[in-house]
Each structure stands twice: as C-alpha cells, then as structure tokens.
Amino acid sequence: MRTAPYNVLFTAAILLSALLLFAVQPMVSKMLLPPYGGAASVWTTSLLFFQTVLLVGYAYSHFAPRLLGRYHPLVHAALVLTPLAVLPIALPAWASPDGSAPVAVWLLLVLTVMVGLPFAVLSTTGPLIQAWYARLGLPRSDDPYFLYAASNVGSLTALIAYPFVAEPLLGIGLQAGWWAAGYGGFAVLMLGCIVITLRRAKRSGETPAPVAEEAAPDSSEAAPPASERAVTWRRRLLWIGLSALPSSLMQGATSYMSTDVAAVPLLWVIPLALYLMTYIIAFGVRRHGWVSGTVDVVLIGMLPVLFLSQSSSLLSTPLTLLITLGMLTAVSLACHGLLAADRPAPARLTEFFLITSLGGALGSLFNGVIAPLVFDRVLEYPLALIASVLLALTVGRSSRVISFLAERRPARLAAIALAGGLLAAYLTSGTSWLILAVALATMIAAVLVVHAQRARAIAFGIAGLALLINSQFVQTDAVESGRTFFGSYMIREDEDTRRLTHGTTMHGFQSLDPEQASEPTSYYSRTGPVGDLFAAYGGDAGTVGVVGLGTGAVAAYGEAGQRFDFYEIDPEMVRIASDPDRFTYLSDCACEVRTVVGDGRLKLGEAPEGEYDLIMLDAFTSDAIPTHMLTREALAEFAEHLAPGGVLAVHVSNRNLELAPMVGATSAEAGLEGIVRSDHNTGADGEDLNPLAASSEWIALAPDAAALEPLTRSGAPNAEQWAPLPGDGPVWTDSYSSLLGILK
C-alpha cells in the first residue's frame, strides 16, 4: 500500500488547522486591545477562552464518534463547512465593555461571538485526525503521535510568523481576510480526510465504536510499558497536573513580562511558542531519559527565578526576560516529557488529549478567574514556580549527577552550611545581590536533602520562606490594596506621604503635610517637564484633557474657569482618586473636573475636534504602556482634538523601554513636530533637587513647531533642557508595534 499520499494529506490537514488555531489567537487579541485599554489581562482572558473552547473541541472528538457511530464523519463534514458563513472575523461594534457586566465576562462574550465557532471546529482536528489515521491500517497507524508533533509544528510556525511576518506586513483587516482563505483551504483538506476515512471504513467493514477499557495488569508480572498500563483515575489526575502546571506558568510568565513592558503580540507569542516547542520535543522522541535531568533544572533553578520575579530591578530587562523564559521552558519540558513518557495506547488517544486539554484549561482558569478573585496582587506566577518544584519532587526521578552528590554526606553538609552562611549575611547586610546567592544555595541544599530521601516537605518550606522574606509580600504600611481586570494596586502610607502603586510601579503620591498637600508631586512636579508645560500654556488653557488618572496630581495645576477632563479605563482608579480620604487633588481643584471611564483613545476620540488646548497622554498599567496609544494613527487622532496652538504631551518615563526615539519617528510620520525633556531630579551631590519630585521624561508634540516655542524661548523655565526629539526609532502603527529596537 502506498502510504505517502495518506501521510501527506493527514499531515497537511492537521498542520494547517494548528497554524490557523494559533494565528487567530494573537490576531483576535490584538483587535481587542484598544477597547480594553491595552491591558495585559486581554491576553490572559483570551487564553482562558481559547483553552476552554479547545477543551470543548476535544470533548467532542472523544464522545461524538461514540455517539454518532458511522454517521459521525458526515456530521463533521457539515460542521467543518458551517464557519464559512461567519468569516472573515471582525470586531463587533459593541466590543467595548459598558459596565453592565464584569469586564472579563464581557470580553469572553465578545470572543465567543467573534471567533467561537471557527475556533471550536478547528480545535477538534488534532485528536480526530489522529484517531482516524490510527484506523487506516498503515505502517505508522499503531503510533499516530507523530501527527501531534506535526500539529505543534504548525502552531509554532504560526506563533513565530505572526509578530515577524503577518503583523508588520499586513493590516488587521488583511490578516482576517487571509485567515478566512486559509480556513477555506483547511476545509478542503479536511473533507479529503473524511472521504478517505469513510472509504477505508467501508472497505474493512469498520464502524467507530467506544473503546473498551483495558484490563488491569497482573501485579505479579513486571511493570508494563506506559502504553499497556491500565488508565486509572490516579493516572488521569497525574495527566491533569502535568498539563495544568505549564499552562498556568506560561500565562503567569506572560503577564509578568507584559505587565511591566507592554501588552504586544511579541511578548504573547514567545512564551506560548516555547510552551509548544516543549510539546514538540516531548512527543517527537521515542525515549525520555533526558526528563530526569530537566526535572533537576527545575528543582535547582526555581528559587532564584522566584526571587527575580519579585525583584526584577536586580538585572537588566532583557536578562530578566531570558531567565523567565528559560525557567518556563525547563518546567514545560519536564512536565511534557513526563506526560509523553506516560502516554497510553492509541486506543486511548482521544481520552488522553481530552484530559490533557482539561488540565490546560484548569491552569488557565486558575490564572484568568480564580487568582484575580482570591489574590489582591499577582501571585499566580510565583505560586506556579513553587508548584513546579512540588510536582517535580512527586513524580520526577533524580539524574545521575544529583544522585551522586546526594550520596556524598560532605557535599550535603557543605551546601547546607553555605546556604546558612549566605542567609545570615543577607539578613545582616541586606545586600540585594545576596538574594540570588541565598536562593541558589538553599535550593541546591534542599535538592540534595530531598534526594537523600530525608524530607521532601523541606523544599516547600524553603519556597514559602522565600516568598515571606521578600518585602513585596509583607507590606506593613499598606492601607488599601486590590485587583481589577486592569491590574493590581496598593495604597501605602508613611509619616510624610501617601503613595499609589500599580503593579510594580509607583503611579503617584501626595504629601500628608497640609501646607504641601496641594503641590503636584512625582512625575508631575512644578520643577519637572509638566511644570514647564503649565508655566507655558496653563494660563491660556481653557480645557485640558488627560489620558490616565493615577492620584489625579495633574489637577493641582487647575485654576478657576478651566476644565480638566480625565480619561481613565479602570473605575477603581476613579474611585480612589475621587475619595478625599485617599487623595484630594480632584476634590481640592479650583477648576471643573470631569472623569470619563473608558479607553482614552476611544473616549477622547468622541470629543469635538479642536476641543483641548493641552492633551496629556499618561496611561500606564504598572510600567507597561498601552501601545495603541502611541501609534501613528493614534497620535494623528489626538492631534485632531487640539485647539489651534495646542500641544500634545506624552509621558515616556519607563524602566524598560527607550520610547523617545520611537515616538519621534512615529510622530514625524503623523505630521507632528516634537521636543523632549528628561528630568533626573538629581543634584551634583546625588541628592534629590526636589523632594516632592520623581525623575520623569516627557515629550511635547504639536502640528506646528511654532506652538512649541513657549517651552524653549529665552526666559522659560528649564528652556535649555528641552531638546529636539530624536527620530531614529521604529515607526509604530495600528498594525505593528515592535519592542526589539527600544528595549533598554
């Protein structure tokens, strides 16, 4: 029998379906960023939706053939053709949350309408194609898992191609059009697979039927291979755990990175691509002797990464990202390797994929729903790291290297002594770099003790202690904390100030001294760029629009007869800034203050053209910038709402990104002139020049260079510090925004 045509057809169908499945995820999530303020939770919630629908598709693949019997291929053919009636994918007009339902719930509803049907159909392809292939009687029908590897190759290709090919070359509308065409090609291939399956079934007289349970192996015999062992509930629970943990860690790592950098497809697809790559490796090889070594990497490396996740300022952003991605890869490889080594016989294939899909969905559910309800800050990522150690200790086997060291009593004692000494040094000196040394040494000591079979719970105790040692988790000065769809926040208070922190970044503070309470502080101080802006334009600015609220410190510049419109997407931030028991900038302002809840670009776009004398873009989630606010199209839209002679001010202070060159190049494409001032607020002696200020960098843009002269003319405050805006960065558009050229 010639098997090549069958292999090509089935491989092409499963590969194209996987490519479409994973190309649509960043495409749809990118469509949804503007209505949801560019929040990192858009991707987390979208992943929850996609993994839940994937679970539904796998359940269908497992149960439908048993319920429909020989009619199932015909029913599935009709199901494959149905989504053609709703393509191409488009953003509904009602996509923006209106407050009638929780934001995450509304987003899930939007996703269901946008892409639910085609994604559900595509999600059934992997297990069905493999199950059909297993019944064809071909040389490789006894182990069709190579098709699963092909599926993941398609997924990986889509994820890599999206940020580097599709996003920069195609607008979002063209992406949707090409995706619809790709689905048409998939439908043709799938119908071909159905025809071959029906012919082979007719020729052999086969009708799909439920698979009988395997008999339990005789306990008196040697342990059988994984494919021959009975599928017990204990084994199923292990599959769930091994698939849930890397799913949760992948989402946690993605949120950890995008919260403080930017919610962009590049930072979405890289963790997901690494996650899938480990699947390809695990299911594409026959032997899994390397798994124990990977488990050891997890055991030894978890604690340093745990500390880094809460003290990312210790290392540069690129290095921190690499370490985070490296640990994600190690955990996923260990879990998926253990999962692949325990895979059952092909007769249990659809059940296996259904259970592993359930695990992935549960991991996503924990990150997307349970954690935001239970925790008032982002703890799911460090908790997933701790869980990875517990799972490794439960099911992993020691490598020869660790076993050799564990058998040597001097090695164990030396590691424990080193850990104790470093811990004592850390507690007495507080040097931040010792954190890493303490973490590494204590983890090695724990591994050696554990592999000596003394006390596996020691690892959990050390991991829990690591969380408690870090000041991120012991905030004695917090007066309020919480978490919304748009991130976590905390209000802290000392003797002199009350501070608002969002994620890992301070978003403003107010002096508790009554004589200084009305003074603008932090990034908005009178000695900084914002003070220059209001000194130059404030007296003539009848109406000011501010995108991003924070503590409302900008309102301190308001005067009688002026109106300040604050656009803020998070209702909780509006509540905090409007509560005089928290911050009094809004309540004490002499001007008229209006707050508008919603995405700043969309809501300000509803205002009349020429409405504002000054527009300030100050929207951040933690330290991440909403990229859709800084594109060529967005800057042009904001400029249309400036009055003649008006100025657009952009806040570009950032720990991780060098935004000025990008804004310079992008604003030039939008027809705007610009200047920039970076205020370090530091004197020659290293002390703060203004104790109420924080270092900040602002850009002033205008359609006409003459409108910027009040900032640079002789006699203006800090005129000499305003410099021409560099224009040698990348140009961001609504279709493409790359971080590669602007990472610090």
Side-chain angles (χ1 to χ4, degrees), residues 134-177:
R135 290 196 286 265
L136 291 180
L138 300 176
R140 298 196 67 178
S141 291
D142 62 332
D143 188 14
Y145 286 94
F146 77 93
L147 289 171
Y148 191 45
S151 170
N152 283 297
V153 168
S155 307
L156 188 62
T157 301
L159 292 174
I160 294 174
Y162 187 83
F164 297 108
V165 179
E167 190 184 17
L169 298 180
L170 301 173
I172 203 70
L174 283 176
Q175 291 176 31

Side-chain angles (χ1 to χ4, degrees), residues 586-612:
L586 298 187
S587 58
D588 291 346
C589 183
C591 64
E592 177 188 355
V593 173
R594 296 196 314 177
T595 55
V596 181
V597 177
D599 176 73
R601 178 176 173 181
L602 299 178
K603 289 297 183 179
L604 193 146
E606 297 173 0
E609 291 188 6
E611 176 77 0
Y612 296 106

Side-chain angles (χ1 to χ4, degrees), residues 374-386:
V374 175
F375 306 132
D376 64 356
R377 66 200 78 173
V378 182
L379 295 183
E380 50 268 30
Y381 175 59
L383 288 177
L385 288 171
I386 294 174

Side-chain angles (χ1 to χ4, degrees), residues 10 36 103-104 118 121 154 272 289 314 353 356 422 456 480 491 503 524 571 593 603 630 692 711 733-734 743:
F10 278 74
Y36 293 83
V103 178
V121 173
L272 187 54
L314 292 176
F353 285 124
T356 56
L422 288 172
R456 293 192 172 189
E480 181 180 343
I491 302 173
Y524 320 101
V593 173
K603 289 297 183 179
L630 298 179
L692 295 179
L711 289 170
T733 68
D734 284 348
L743 276 174

Side-chain angles (χ1 to χ4, degrees), residues 422-447:
L422 288 172
L423 180 60
Y426 167 66
L427 294 176
T428 55
S429 68
T431 303
S432 58
W433 276 100
L434 282 173
I435 293 176
L436 300 181
V438 171
L440 182 59
T442 51
M443 200 63 233
I444 292 175
V447 170

Side-chain angles (χ1 to χ4, degrees), residues 532 675 677 709-723:
D532 297 347
I675 54 177
R677 181 190 168 199
E709 290 181 1
L711 289 170
T712 58
R713 66 190 174 195
S714 178
N718 306 303
E720 70 286 352
Q721 296 186 30
W722 287 92

